[in-house]
Structures are given as structure tokens and as C-alpha cells.
Amino acid sequence: MDQEQLKGLLEQVRSGSVDIDVAMERMRHLPFEDLGFAKVDHHRALRHGMPEVIFGKGKTPHQVVEVAKALASRASNLLVTRATQEIADAMMAAFPEAESFPASGAIRLWRDRTSRGRGKIAVVCAGTSDLPVAEEAQITCEVMGNEVDTIHDIGVAGIHRLMSNRLRLSEAKAIVVCAGMEGALPSAVGGLVSCPVIAVPTSIGYGASFNGLAALLGMLNSCASNVSVVNIDNGFGAGYVASLINRG
Amino acid sequence: MDQEQLKGLLEQVRSGSVDIDVAMERMRHLPFEDLGFAKVDHHRALRHGMPEVIFGKGKTPHQVVEVAKALASRASNLLVTRATQEIADAMMAAFPEAESFPASGAIRLWRDRTSRGRGKIAVVCAGTSDLPVAEEAQITCEVMGNEVDTIHDIGVAGIHRLMSNRLRLSEAKAIVVCAGMEGALPSAVGGLVSCPVIAVPTSIGYGASFNGLAALLGMLNSCASNVSVVNIDNGFGAGYVASLINRG
Amino acid sequence: MDQEQLKGLLEQVRSGSVDIDVAMERMRHLPFEDLGFAKVDHHRALRHGMPEVIFGKGKTPHQVVEVAKALASRASNLLVTRATQEIADAMMAAFPEAESFPASGAIRLWRDRTSRGRGKIAVVCAGTSDLPVAEEAQITCEVMGNEVDTIHDIGVAGIHRLMSNRLRLSEAKAIVVCAGMEGALPSAVGGLVSCPVIAVPTSIGYGASFNGLAALLGMLNSCASNVSVVNIDNGFGAGYVASLINRG
Amino acid sequence: MDQEQLKGLLEQVRSGSVDIDVAMERMRHLPFEDLGFAKVDHHRALRHGMPEVIFGKGKTPHQVVEVAKALASRASNLLVTRATQEIADAMMAAFPEAESFPASGAIRLWRDRTSRGRGKIAVVCAGTSDLPVAEEAQITCEVMGNEVDTIHDIGVAGIHRLMSNRLRLSEAKAIVVCAGMEGALPSAVGGLVSCPVIAVPTSIGYGASFNGLAALLGMLNSCASNVSVVNIDNGFGAGYVASLINRG
Amino acid sequence: MDQEQLKGLLEQVRSGSVDIDVAMERMRHLPFEDLGFAKVDHHRALRHGMPEVIFGKGKTPHQVVEVAKALASRASNLLVTRATQEIADAMMAAFPEAESFPASGAIRLWRDRTSRGRGKIAVVCAGTSDLPVAEEAQITCEVMGNEVDTIHDIGVAGIHRLMSNRLRLSEAKAIVVCAGMEGALPSAVGGLVSCPVIAVPTSIGYGASFNGLAALLGMLNSCASNVSVVNIDNGFGAGYVASLINRG
Amino acid sequence: MDQEQLKGLLEQVRSGSVDIDVAMERMRHLPFEDLGFAKVDHHRALRHGMPEVIFGKGKTPHQVVEVAKALASRASNLLVTRATQEIADAMMAAFPEAESFPASGAIRLWRDRTSRGRGKIAVVCAGTSDLPVAEEAQITCEVMGNEVDTIHDIGVAGIHRLMSNRLRLSEAKAIVVCAGMEGALPSAVGGLVSCPVIAVPTSIGYGASFNGLAALLGMLNSCASNVSVVNIDNGFGAGYVASLINRG
Amino acid sequence: MDQEQLKGLLEQVRSGSVDIDVAMERMRHLPFEDLGFAKVDHHRALRHGMPEVIFGKGKTPHQVVEVAKALASRASNLLVTRATQEIADAMMAAFPEAESFPASGAIRLWRDRTSRGRGKIAVVCAGTSDLPVAEEAQITCEVMGNEVDTIHDIGVAGIHRLMSNRLRLSEAKAIVVCAGMEGALPSAVGGLVSCPVIAVPTSIGYGASFNGLAALLGMLNSCASNVSVVNIDNGFGAGYVASLINRG
Amino acid sequence: MDQEQLKGLLEQVRSGSVDIDVAMERMRHLPFEDLGFAKVDHHRALRHGMPEVIFGKGKTPHQVVEVAKALASRASNLLVTRATQEIADAMMAAFPEAESFPASGAIRLWRDRTSRGRGKIAVVCAGTSDLPVAEEAQITCEVMGNEVDTIHDIGVAGIHRLMSNRLRLSEAKAIVVCAGMEGALPSAVGGLVSCPVIAVPTSIGYGASFNGLAALLGMLNSCASNVSVVNIDNGFGAGYVASLINRG
């Protein structure tokens, strides 16, 4: 039963062909999204400027392309994350205007480049090995309409580099910090700025890093109060949250 | 060497009594916060409307009161978290105008009640047992100048209650969601709104909840992209991040 | 000593050629399944309508086919789980009437399609990545004589889709819910229905999902009382339990 | 807006004082449980014969008694779990007809003792230390209208006792098995019967039992296909699921 | 049906009043331990010289004494482990000839002191903090009829003490080694002797010892091939296994 | 300084050319194994009937063969464990009389087949997937001079098979039990026999088996007192310990 | 057999009353520490300036005092760690010249205050809650003859304080850094200095700090190469290692 | 703003063209490393004799060679760790004078072979499988100007070999001990010497070694006070710390 059906029912109420009590009983069993609730999602998509994201992992190139075609017909921008090279090839064939980012496995269809943020987002990473995760965050922020300032290779053990970027950091409305190993960078950055910091533990490291667990725990225990955390290697999620913050 | 010393040095430069190269050498070895960097913290405090927070756990009532007196002399608002009853008694004796919140162990000195947010913050909790954590978040948001809408006892297993609060949730600029056990509520809330959701796992539960670990992992793996996470039972941190987001 | 031997012994008792005390002593040392207990298994198999299941993992194609031939000679239906492509090829060559399901690695010999359940079983999954596990559950339910209603791609973060399937869910006698990541779907489903929900954590996810651990812990801590849990990715076990429940 | 409001709206539709399109728009924004969905819960409660359960842990005696009074006014049976002695005393004072079970901390108001199951539920425990958890399961099953057969102190290391109860076990429609330490009993029971087995790991043990984790993992890895698992020490949940299964 | 019943059945077979097939059918459904299998346990008890052990943890003094009285009437020796002071007091009142060992919480009734071993058992501990666990192992070995050589306070970091006890160690038929912290002693002892070494991790330590987990993992990974391991703090189990080995 | 040097020193003492105090000083600094302690190892090897074992994992075929040649020149029997196919090929080329066991990766040079045990060792496994680990245990027991009774595919969920092998089990002097998944078999076997049981958790399973951790924890928490445990998949260690026990 | 016995044996060799071969055989079986090796420990103690340390945890006041008296008779300095108040009282009664440090539970008998280091040791802590652990490290360093520079309350989130202590840090020969929560301070310190940094994770924190595990993992994954780690809360061990480094 | 800019500013101060207050304000916002702080790093490099290390893991051969060329132009010695064979080939082509160590994946450019240590460093490993990690430590020590004494294959289970190397060990200024499995060797070594011991857990082992976790925990819980620990397999870090210690 959709909007038409509801309309029909109400018309029957008006005409008297259906009793009010019967109408109420029928309405109680309606699948409610058919009453128009589903439009919420549609509106939100438009408001976000980023209708859909496809998580590429575990999907075939054919599946990704088909979904992408459907989505791209009604949305300006599209992001595929965690794509294999095969998926990237298929996507680039189907969408020649798309961009492919092999380091992070992202593919981006960026047709609406309207800027929607109140300021800049900084995307920071601790080491060169954290770059793919930072790239995913950066691409996400951009496709969601944000200007991004990327600052790479600032480790806690080389605190001078961090300090020398203090001003750039303090100009951001939100900061994404990607770090593996001990995951200490978000605390240090958080202590220097007054905006929200979204920490992304990366799986970079070996031994007792336990694939990012050490960094994750470190970030959750941050002594800086403006730090919140997303899943290990989840550059997309961090960029998404930062974009919402920057949009205000 | 403080500001006065730097001023003196520069005056010596101007008067010619100290060589420029010598001045540069001396400046390189200055403890740099004495150059005024420390003011940054001060400024930030004023800008935040919440200069200092005292983490009460592991401190004696005397220690807390002494620190509180020092801080309260130069800041309008003060928050003590994780205070024992003894600390609360000592604080209430020293600051008769303070408020004490026994459930969460918070004590608040809320002299400057200026509203600083762009909108409301919603603080949501899944069960009545999560209330102390939610209270800590609420108190933090308020003392940082935000209007708070609290929505209690909305579990994922009773999804009707969640749905019936959909409109209130969608009006918030940031939402703090506190949940123990399976920690599923942030995902469900996150899917209904388009603002950032800060998830707080609580240590509520037993057995395989492992003191909040289950909820923490659930929240980190949220399928809603607008969710970031703070430490278990860290209502303060969530309220702090939400306040920064709402301030914009 | 088998049934014949026991019969012989009793005949000796009757004829008096063996003393009663001696007979009792001998019987105490009998391997008891030879007394006919083994028939219990046989009876149960017939009663179940699914005599044997072969866990394909770690077996060679030859081993699987040989075991399958032996079992198929005395049972109508046969299920191979976790089969490699090599096993599937060998099985399809040996049993042309069998069905092969590459996504889940299941192979099914479904000769007796008698319906044995009191109602329908719903098999629900949270995301498309959970489909292989859901498929294993569905195939198991069917081969055990149940009608299955499959509902795919209902995440907690998109609660409208869940709500719109409320009626279908409430018609099931038992529901299998497969979910990875935060594993919140069983709680949400459990809160909507009054039948038993069997939750299957899947290994879908990355980072802090720890190969399904996050989902597993979430499901064990479900705030819905009608949820019980099976091992990670154990679609077969969930389908098996649901089938027993539906049979009554 | 409640049922009355909806009725009023429909009457306005009928009378023509409200346009159909306007009515549809208004209905879309209704908090939908006010449309009567909440009755579902009420109906389910009646159908179950157990309207409400109060989780006593973390609540004050006053809170529990107040909630209990409200619930007892509209439901026949009431169960409080994890109650302290103080809660038990307050409940027994308020409800003289209630039963108190100190071992498990359960309190039961069992006014409607109608039998609702298709058969018996067996509640089995491995050692005497597991009795409190088994008691919680038993009380739950009974208050939900089931006949319960309790079989205590059957360990895997004393397999003769298990075998001698084989017939009693095979007569049950569902079996709750509580075991700590290695948690092997559900597998052994599961292999002997053809009904669903709900396994409850208990926190009994020491050292590498890790408060029930060893038993939990053992049960999740059961080689018997008819076993599903609930949280550590969750006798209530197991009894609840078993009751739903027995009701059919 | 017990032995008498089986005898009656066989007599009916002999007399012809029961058919052989009917007898076979009845026998198949006998609870088999009633056929005399239970005697096995009784025999084993006599053969072991230690009929029963009572795990005191979680039992009331009254419960322990009652069980102890029943057991002591048919067995010479009795061991209670993990007894509280209250249990110990009650036991000593009921059994004046018993011994109480407060460090380990053991109580021993040692009436039959026959030596049953082929040689000596050595019980070794790494530090004085491990003594309670070693005491439990020693008491167990003794009450099972073994001569015990106790060697205390031999740490891996003071390897000279270990070396100076080399000869005593090499004379044992089995060695119990109790160690906390890094749990390295069993490997070192194992490399010096050719008899089986039973390693007992103790919960002694702090921080990253994780209540004995570090020692447990260390012992499981021992590079000495003659080491097997029991649960953390399980001195009783180690003494039991060592006794079986020494008995041969 | 070796035996010759010590002899020379003592001769100098006898001849008076070296002072007794000086001799004592020199002796204190001797690397003591040069005094002949190293012979202990040699003696032990002879006494064991199994001079050397080569852990093949991580070694090149060349390395294994070279070490094997050196060892085989002074010992009758040789065991290589965890050998790759390449190592096996090289070993079989170098030692045509050796046996290769691809399932477990063992290679055996079994020239001295003297029986050294007091009785038989039983090697039991729960499922066919546990066979490689059981094979390693069996080969180890045999090459150390023991008669082995292998009993395969006895799961706890099929307790009849276990019971029907009760007599064979009770005849063993030591039993190795290999089981994955829930690891319950050692407890069940331990309850049926009075000899030591060495439990080997195997890495068989999936999901929450965590590569054998579930089985390991289950075995460490065994409620049977005669069970001790070795590392996951360590069939060799279990066979080694069982051999020492059987030798007495 | 002690030194006297060896001397006697050598005299018999000289006199010819014992054969050289016989003497060699006897010497091989000597418990070797009786040959004087034990003196090594004695020498080391003197060389260290700290003969003995008593780990107070789990010992009675009487035990600690007795051991302390024995040790204090032959060593100048004595350190008791992890002492309860009862132990401290007993120690202060027995050794009026001792110092008691209630925060860390240390008691120190510091009679020989000779400075033995090549420079200073810095002991740094991140927060005031880490002070007890830092105190234990400081006391250890001092009693081992080192000058200590203590720098408190330098968190990574307040990096200005760290930077302002850069010069003091760079003057140390070894630095002990105590930090809880995310444990990031050792990395930051390590990056500023070129001496070895000994990191001590503390159990300070809550929730996902898991009693110091988060800090421990962070420190083990430090991106500064000059950091090594000791156990959680092990201030003594860190002070001990730093002292050895400073002594050179 | 760099040194030149600062100089310019001071000259403006001297000339009076810039006000002192304005100068102070400008200086406060300077990126401070431009004031010369960065030289610290440069100085430290020269002082260490090892200017740069390249962590090869995750880098392409091209990246490594480019960075190496830049670094080698201003530093004498260079170390690449965790290099793949492809990186090694590219490096050897670019730097014919370099050394390649395939076992550990290290590549070394060792032009300045000045000895800088006060004594020797011992690098010890427990088994042949630990050799790659020991090699990384050895190479690091050497390239940092230390003489290294390598002692291989000393296991705790073969304590005679350890004892026979006692004197060599006692001559070292610092000892790196690499061990997998139970990780007991550092404790045993630590007890024999009075210098600092840096323990390196290796990932050698299987099953419950959990890729080095067992060894790591063992080493953190060492009962020898002179042991500190680095990350699993971190031979480089251990060698680095040992070098700093030896340099004094």
C-alpha cells in the first residue's frame, strides 16, 4: 500500500464507503514507509550533497558498476570505497569522468563540486604508511563539499613538525587524524586545537600493534577531551563525520 | 625567561647592547611557552566558556577543593567529574552555589549560563542503567553553554519508542547516545538523523558484555557513517565533543 | 557382540546353559550400542528428514563424494557445507540431480521435499555481504522441510526498511538473523516479534570487527529476550535450530 | 496525537472539513505508536502470559516496588531477576503472595498458572555451583506457563549420570543446559536429543575460565547442531527462549 | 531398574514367562548404569586410595560437612580444596583428626597413609608467593599415597639455585612446577630432567601478568617437550596427575 | 677448557706445580659443561630411545637434511615434525628407509623398534579433521617405543561411540586426546578412565574457535582431574609426555 | 659439598689418596654453587650498592621485617616495595631510620648515599595520578646512588609543558616515563632526547584502558627508537634499569 | 618564516621600524622550528653516528632508493629494515658498497665504522628460528659503532649451554635477548648479569604463542629486575637501545 492506496482509503472514508474504525484498523497495519516516510532518506541525500556510497569490498566489478549506474542516475556525486583494481577498471570504463585512487582503493564521481562547509577540514597523518587511510578521508571530505588541508608525516616522536603546523591546524573546523602504531597523534593534535578531532587508528605496525588495536585503544584513552574515534582504517567514516561537523 | 625577559631582550636589540646573532641564539633556547604561547590556553578557555575540568577520581577532597578554588578565581564555570561523596561534600561546603549530581559523581559550578550553541544537543540513553553516563554528558553540555534535550530509555529492542522520538532527534545539531549491552542504539539513531552522533559505550551489562567491551566494539563497527565513539562510560568526553560541534 | 550375540546369550539363559549371574556379568561389559542403542540415531535421522550433513572444509573432493555416496544410499536428503569449487565439481559429477550454491559453498541433494514445519521460517540478513551466510541457513531450512521467507539487506541504520517488513517477520515461527559489523539487527528484530530469533554473527567487517567478534558479543548481549546465538558464520547451525523449532 | 486524535482527523475527512491531502500530510508526521502500534506490545504480553520482567540489578528497592506495582495492576504474572536481599525484602512486603528465590535473586508473582506449553522443558545443570543459573531458567519457564523437569549435577566427566537420564532428556520439547568450566555439557546433551538445546555458560570456575568465557566459547563451537547459546549466567534468557519454543 | 530388576528379568527369560525379543527390547531402554556400571566408579575409588574430593568454593560449611560425612563413611581419605576459614572450622569440629592448611584452603582427612607410588614426586615453586598453590599440590600427592620432595623458591632469574637442586629433581618420577609471573620455571626444570613435568601457572604477579595468563601462555609454549599444563592455580589437578603418573 | 684441561689441572695439583687455592679459583670460572655435564644430555638421549627431534618449520630442506645426517649418525631413531613437502622429499632422498607422513608433516627414521612401555598408549581424536594432530602424536609414541591404540572420530555429541570404546580406553596407561571446536572430549574420556589424559587442542573450527583457543580454554577448565594440556596442535608434545608416562 | 669439601678433595688429589679420574667424576656431581659461584651474587650486590629488594605484596608484616633484618645486617641499603600500611608500620618500628612513602607503598633504608651515576636520571609522569608509580621509580633510582630530576604532569595533550622541559630532559643520561591512559608520553619524550627512555605504563584510566593494557600496547609500538618498556605500574623495574644505564 | 625572516625582524626592531610589542606578537606565531630548533635533529644525528633509518615495509623499491640517496648524501651510515627482495635488489644496484642481509631483510650502508661504545654488546637468541630478529639487532648495533658478541641457540630448556656462556655474557655492557615461544630466556640471562637486558619477543611459535604474545607477556613479567622489553620482532629497536646504553 502506497500513497495512492492511502489516498484511496481516505477517499473511501470521505465517501462513507469505509467505516472510520475499519480505516483505523487498516492503517495500523500499513507498512509505514509507504506513507511517505521513505522520502526522508531522499531529502537527506539531497541535503548532504552525497547521495550514496558503495562499499566495494566483497562485491564483484559487475555488481559495483550496476549499483553505481543506478545511483549515478539520480545523484551528482558517488564514492566507491575499498575497490579492487578489477572494480576500479570496470568503474573507469563505465564512468570515464570518474577518478581512481589506487592507494586507498577509492573511486570518485565528483560532478557537483559545490563548497558546502563553513571552513576547512584538516586531514593529518602520522607516517607515510598511513597515507592510504588519510587519502580515503580526504576524498570523502572533498566529495561532500569541503575544502581539505592535508598535513602528512607528523609523528609524535618528531614533535617539532607537529608544532610547526600549529597554525594550520588551528584554522580547521574539524581535523581527521590518522595514525597507526601507538596512535598518540590525536592526543597531541587535540591538545593544540579547540575544534573536534576525529581519530582514525590505522592497521599500520607489527607485533603488538595487533593490526591497529594498540592505536585504537590509545585513541579511546586520549587525554584530550575533543577526540572521538572511528573504526580501524575507517578513513571514510572519519571524513564523513568531519564533513557533517564542518557543514554545521 | 618570560614575556618581560623577551621584552628586555628586544629592548637590548633596539638599543644595540645585544647583537642580533646573539639574540637569535638566546631566543632559540627559550622555553617557548614563556614567549606567550601559554596564553593560547587561556584564550581558548575564555572562548570555550569552560576553563577547567577536574577529574576527581583518585584525588583527595582537599586536593580537589584547592584546585577548584584556584580555577574558580579566574573562570566562571567549573566541572568536577567522577567525584566521591566525600569530594562532593567538601566541594559543596566550599562552593555553596555549586550543584552536586550523585548519580554521575559530577559537581558543577555554573555561573556563566550564556547560551553559545547554534542549536540543541540531544542526549539519548538506551536503558535506565545508562542514566549516570547520560547525566555526565548532559551536565557537560549545559555547562559549556548548550541547550540539551534528554531522551531516556530508548532501546533497540523497543524500536517503537525510538521511532516516536524521530522528530526530536532530527532537530538536534549533535546527538550523544549512551548504551551498554550490545551498544546498538547509536547505529539506529545514526540512521535516522543527519547530524554527527557521538556514541558512548557504557559498562552496563554482565557476562559477555565484558564491562562495556561488547558495546564499544559494536559502536566502532556501526553501519551508520555519522557515528564516532569515545571511551567506555566517558559521558564527559561525549558532551565535550558535542558542545564543540554545536558551537560550530 | 551385537544383537545376535545378545539374543544368543539370552537363549543360553533360557536353556540354562549359562548361569544368570554369569550372563549379568557378561552383559555389564557389553559395548552397549551393540545392544541396539545405535538405532536411536537411525530413528532420529528418519524423524528429522535430514539424515546426514557433511562439513566439507578440510576434506578432499574424493572423501566428500565417497561419504556422500554411502549416505545417499540410505537417506533422501543430503547437505554438504563449506565446499570448495573442486568439491562442488566432484559432487555435481557424482550427483547430477544435486544443486550447488557457490556463494555459501553448499551442495544439496533434495529428493524428499515434504513440508514438515508448522509455519514459515524467516531468514533475514543485514547487508548484501551477509548473503552467503543467510544462503546457508536458507538451504538448511529448506532441505529440512521448511518454507523459508528471505528478507535481505535490512540494516539497523536504515530502520525504515526493517519496520516495513514487520508483518512478514511477525508471521514466522522462527527467525534466523545474519549480521556482521555491530550485529545489532537481531535485537531490533527480536523486539518486533514474539517467536525465537536465532542470531548468526558474520565475519563481515574490518578493523575492530575482529572477524565477527564484535557482532558475536553484540548478539550475546542483546536486550531482546528471545534471541539466542550460534557461532560466527554458522548459517547451517542457525537453520538447523530454526527447523527444529518450526517442527515443534 | 493518539487514537482519539486520529479518529477526529478521519471524522474531519469524512465531514469534509479537512482535505485529503492535508490529512495525509498530517498523518505522515504522526508519532506512529500513537496510532495504536503500542497495543501490539500489550497483545503480546497477554499472549505470552508474562507481561513484564524487571531486571533488578542497579535499581533501588523503591524503584523496583513502584514499577512492580504498576505492572502487577495489569498483568497476572511478574518476574524480578537479579534482585538483592533488600529488593527481595521490599518486594515480599509489598506482594505477600510473591515467592523469593535467594540463590538466583529472583522474585516471582505467579497468579496465572495456566499451562501453555506443548510439552515439558528440561533444565539441566552440570554442577551444584551452576544451580542459581538453572534456578533462574526454571522459574522463568514456570512463570511463562511451562512444566519443567530439572536434572542437576550431570557433568561430562561423569558420563554415566548423563546416559542414565537419556530418556528424561529425550522427552523434552526444549532443553536448557547450564554449565561452567569447560562448558561441554550442551554438546553431549545435544547429541542425545533431537529438540533444540539452549546453552547457558555460567561464570563458575577459576583461572582460565575467565569468568565464563571458556564455557561460552566451548558452547559456541559445539559440534552438536541443535545448540544455540545465550549470554553468560543468562538463565532468564534461556528460559524465555525455551518457553517460546515449547509454546510453538 | 537395578541389578535386582535385571536379575528378575533374566529369571523370567529362563522361566519362559518373558519372551527373548521382549527382554531385549526392555534391556535396550534400561538406564545402563543400573546394570552395574556404577561399580566402576567405586572400584576406581578403591584403586586410587582417594575416594572423593570436595571443591569447597561456593559451598556452605554445612554443605561441605554433610557431604564429607557421607563420603568419609565409605572412604579412608578425603580432601577438601578451596575452603574458607568457616568451612575449615566446621570441618575441624566434625573431623577432629583432620588437618587444616590455611594457606591453600585445603582440609585433609588422611587415615590410610599407604605408600602407592613407584618413586617420589617433586613439587617445586618459583617464589614464596606461589607456596599456597604448591601446598595444594603437595597435600594432594600425599593423600593419594605419594612421597613428596618440596623445593621452594627457585626462580629462573636465580638459576644457580635451580642448578644446585638438579640431582633432587632428577630423582623424581614426576615433577609439579608452580610459577607465576613469566612462568618460565617449568621449561628450565623440564630441560634438566627426563620425567614428566606438570606445570601450574599461578595468578601471582601484577599488570601484564593478567592474573596468570602470562604464565599460562608461557608454559603452553614451553620449549621443553616433557611439559604439560593445568589450569591457573590448579595445584590439586597437578598433584592428581602427578600421582597417577607415579602410580604407573 | 674441557675434560682434558681439567685433567691437566688436577695433574698439576697432584704434581704440586699448581697451588690448591689457585686451582680452586681457576675451576670456579670453568664453563661447567666442559666438566662433563654435557654427557647428561647424551645419557638421557640413550635412556629415552629417541635422541633428537627436528622441528622442521622455518628450516630449509638443506638445513634439515644436514642436521638429520649428523644426528642419525649417533642415534637410532629420528623424528622430523612440521616438514613441508620439499623437506619431506629431501629427507626421503637422503634416508630411503625413512617414512613420510604428509598429513601431519612428520618424517620418521625408526631403526630401533624396541618396545619400552609398560602398556599401551591410546591416541583418540574427536573428528576426522583432527587426524593430522593425532597422527603426529601416534608417530611420536611409536618412535619412542610404545604400542599405540588409535581411536578416531569420537565426538562428545555422539556419546555412544565414546561409550562403546570404553574398554579399549580403560586398558591404556596414558591417553592422548586431540579435539578442536569445543574441546570437550578430554573431559569425557577423563571421566571414564583412571590413567593420565594428555589433551591436545587442535586449531580445527571456525569463527569463535579462534584457531583453537576455545578448545584450549575448555581443556584447561576440564572438570576431570586427570587431564593436563599441551599447546594447540602439539601432537608431538602430547605423544612425548604420554611416552614418558608409559615408560614409568 | 662446599669450598672446604672441594679443598679437601684437591688435597686428596695432591696427596694421591684419590685418583684423578675419581676426583673428576665426583666434581661433576657437585652442586656447583657450592664451588663459590654464589659469591657472584654477593659481589654484584656490593657493586650495585643495593643488596636486596623485598617485594612486599602478599607477605605479612612479620615476614617482611624478618627478611629485612637479615638483609640489613649485610647490606647498606634496603628497599621494600608494594608494602601495606601494616608492613610500613612494622618496618618503621623495626628500622627507625627508614623512610616510608605511602603513595607508592615503598619503604627505604638508605644508609649509603654514595653517588654512583655518570649523570642524572629524569623521572617524568604524565598526570598526577601517575605519581605513585613515578615515586617508586624515583626512590629506586636514589637508593641505587643516582641523582634524580623529577618532572611531573606533562601530558601529550598539553605539549607546551613538555616542550618547556626540553632542556632538562636532554640533560639526563636515562629517562623513566610513567603514563597511563593512551601512554603516548614516552614517544614524545623519546623524540626529544637521545638517551634511553624506559617507559612504564600505569594502570591509570578507565574503560578501554583495561587497567593499563592500552598504555602498554601504545608504548610497545612507540615510533621513537630509544624506548623500551617494563610491566604495568613497575616503577621499581624502570628505576632499576635506568640506574644500571646511568652507572654505565 | 625562517632564520632569515627572524633576522630581518630583529633588524627592524633595531632600526625602530617595528615596535617591540608588534615584534613580540609576530614571534609568538612563528612556526618555531624555523627558529633553528630543527638543527637539534641534525646535531643528534651526527652525535649518534647513524643519521637515518628507513623502515622498508610498505614502501616501493623506488621510494626506498630515493629516500636512501637523499639521506646518504649527508650521512655516513644508513640502515634499511624489513626490506623485500625487490627493495634489496634495487638498493644493491644503487649502492654497490651496501650489504644485504636476506634473513632479516636489512640493508646496510656502513661507511663510518668508528667504534663508539664503552664495551661490547651481546646479542643472544634462544633458537635458530629467532636468528633473523637477532641479526637485525646485531646489524643495528654494528652500524651504530658497537662491537657485538653473538651467542646463538641458548634455550632455557638447555640450561647448560646458557651457563657455559656465563662469562661472555657478564662481559657485555648491554645484552639483547631474542626469544619466541615462552620467552623465558631474558629472565635467565638477566639473573646472570648485572647490565641492562633488552628483551625482544619474537613471533616464533605456533598455537598459544599467538604470534609472539606469549613471549611478550612473559618478558614483561620477568622476575629479573634488569629487563626491559621492545615490540615483537623489533630487533632494530633493541639494538638501538643497547647502542645508546653502550655509548653511555
Side-chain angles (χ1 to χ4, degrees), chain D residues 5 19 49 53 63 90 128 132 135 147-148 200 203 245:
Chain D
Q5 288 178 293
D19 216 59
V53 177
Q63 287 175 320
T128 53
E135 186 183 85
E147 188 183 351
V148 178
V200 193
S203 55
I245 293 173

Side-chain angles (χ1 to χ4, degrees), chain A residues 2-4 6-7 10-21 23-24 27-30 32 35-37 39 43, chain D residues 3-4 6-7 10-21 23-24 27-30 32 35-37 39-40 43:
Chain A
D2 57 10
Q3 289 289 85
E4 289 315 304
L6 177 61
K7 195 169 187 174
L10 290 177
E11 282 164 352
Q12 288 175 307
V13 168
R14 168 157 293 182
S15 69
S17 66
V18 162
D19 217 59
I20 285 181
D21 282 359
M24 286 177 70
M27 287 163 71
R28 193 181 334 150
H29 292 101
L30 289 179
F32 62 98
L35 294 168
F37 288 114
K39 284 185 181 167
H43 288 155
Chain D
Q3 290 288 85
E4 290 313 304
L6 179 61
K7 195 168 187 175
L10 292 178
E11 283 164 353
Q12 289 174 306
V13 168
R14 170 157 293 181
S15 69
S17 64
V18 163
D19 216 59
I20 284 180
D21 283 358
M24 285 176 71
M27 287 163 71
R28 193 183 333 152
H29 292 101
L30 289 179
F32 60 97
L35 294 168
F37 288 112
K39 283 185 182 168
V40 172
H43 288 156

Side-chain angles (χ1 to χ4, degrees), chain H residues 14-200:
Chain H
R14 169 157 293 181
S15 69
S17 64
V18 162
D19 216 60
I20 285 182
D21 284 358
V22 170
M24 286 175 69
E25 186 60 26
R26 283 198 200 158
M27 287 163 71
R28 192 183 332 151
H29 292 102
L30 289 178
F32 60 97
E33 84 282 30
D34 294 339
L35 295 168
F37 288 113
K39 284 184 181 167
V40 174
D41 281 333
H42 186 54
H43 288 157
R44 190 172 53 185
L46 293 180
R47 196 167 68 245
H48 283 182
M50 188 185 74
E52 295 290 351
V53 178
I54 305 173
F55 185 62
K57 195 179 171 187
K59 296 202 177 66
T60 65
H62 181 73
Q63 287 175 320
V64 172
V65 167
E66 287 310 299
V67 175
K69 281 182 179 165
L71 297 174
S73 68
R74 64 177 197 251
S76 301
N77 294 340
L78 179 75
L79 181 63
V80 183
T81 63
R82 312 284 170 108
T84 58
Q85 188 57 47
E86 289 69 34
I87 292 177
D89 293 344
M91 279 296 294
M92 296 311 291
F95 299 90
E97 76 274 39
E99 303 159 279
S100 176
F101 301 85
S104 59
I107 299 149
R108 181 168 63 182
L109 194 61
W110 193 10
R111 297 188 288 215
D112 173 2
R113 302 199 175 203
T114 315
S115 177
R116 298 162 197 278
R118 293 173 298 119
K120 280 192 301 186
I121 295 173
V123 173
V124 183
C125 73
T128 53
S129 313
D130 303 315
L131 276 171
V133 178
E135 185 183 85
E136 192 181 89
Q138 174 187 349
I139 291 167
T140 302
C141 290
E142 288 171 354
V143 84
M144 288 179 74
N146 301 282
E147 186 183 354
V148 179
D149 186 14
T150 56
I151 308 176
H152 294 159
D153 211 2
I154 300 185
V156 187
I159 219 158
H160 299 91
R161 278 188 52 77
L162 173 62
M163 292 304 282
S164 70
N165 283 288
R166 197 172 39 87
L167 289 184
R168 283 170 71 188
L169 290 169
S170 67
E171 285 165 3
K173 291 290 183 192
I175 304 178
V176 173
V177 183
C178 309
M181 302 178 77
E182 78 266 67
L185 191 58
S187 293
V189 169
L192 290 175
V193 302
S194 58
C195 73
V197 170
I198 299 101
V200 194

Side-chain angles (χ1 to χ4, degrees), chain B residues 201-215 232-233, chain G residues 207-208 210:
Chain B
T202 73
S203 54
I204 296 306
Y206 63 90
S209 92
F210 297 123
N211 300 315
L213 177 61
I232 297 165
D233 290 337
Chain G
F210 296 123

Side-chain angles (χ1 to χ4, degrees), chain F residues 3 6-7 10-14 16-21 23-24 27-30 35-37 39 43, chain G residues 3 6-7 10-14 16-21 23-24 27-30 35-37 39:
Chain F
Q3 289 290 85
L6 178 61
K7 197 169 186 174
L10 290 178
E11 281 164 352
Q12 288 175 306
V13 169
R14 170 158 291 181
S17 66
V18 161
D19 217 58
I20 284 181
D21 283 358
M24 285 176 70
M27 287 163 70
R28 195 185 328 155
H29 292 101
L30 289 179
L35 295 168
F37 288 112
K39 283 184 181 168
H43 287 156
Chain G
Q3 289 289 83
L6 177 61
K7 194 169 189 173
L10 290 178
E11 282 165 353
Q12 287 175 308
V13 169
R14 170 155 293 180
S17 66
V18 162
D19 216 57
I20 284 181
D21 283 359
M24 285 176 70
M27 287 164 69
R28 193 185 328 152
H29 292 102
L30 288 179
L35 294 169
F37 288 113
K39 282 184 183 168

